[in-house]
Amino acid sequence: NAERLKSIINKVPAFRDLAVGHAHRLLQSGEVMLKTEGTTLCVEGDDNSDMFVLLSGKLLSGKALHKLVYVYRLAPTPSDSA
């Protein structure tokens, strides 16, 4: 959904300066995820190259603090690692 992608781009200062096409391509490799309170998104030291963008709610030390937390997960595509 183009509106959702535009909303995510506007939430992340690092994405705002990207050309629209580049930001769109980057975000197409991701997914919106709904996490519940206490769910662990990531653990320090894990071998993980995913990036998470907090869309709503709060996180503390990689755990969701609200009953419902929306995040956008960006994962490298096979062509990104080549």
Side-chain angles (χ1 to χ4, degrees):
N1 175 322
E3 286 303 313
R4 178 173 271 177
L5 293 178
K6 185 183 273 189
S7 171
I8 293 167
I9 291 168
N10 289 332
K11 286 180 182 273
V12 183
F15 293 170
R16 288 184 196 143
D17 291 335
L18 289 175
V20 174
H22 290 191
H24 191 266
R25 181 173 169 248
L26 173 71
L27 293 174
Q28 282 183 321
S29 69
E31 63 180 331
V32 174
M33 301 169 61
L34 174 63
K35 297 296 180 179
T36 56
E37 188 173 13
T39 301
T40 300
L41 294 175
C42 56
V43 176
E44 186 176 352
D46 276 358
D47 184 20
N48 187 343
S49 56
D50 294 355
M51 176 179 160
F52 296 94
V53 176
L54 182 64
L55 300 175
S56 70
K58 290 186 180 183
L59 299 175
L60 179 64
S61 299
K63 285 194 176 189
L65 292 180
H66 284 173
K67 290 186 185 213
L68 298 176
V69 174
Y70 285 92
V71 294
Y72 196 79
R73 177 181 160 263
L74 293 161
T77 60
S79 62
D80 292 337
S81 56

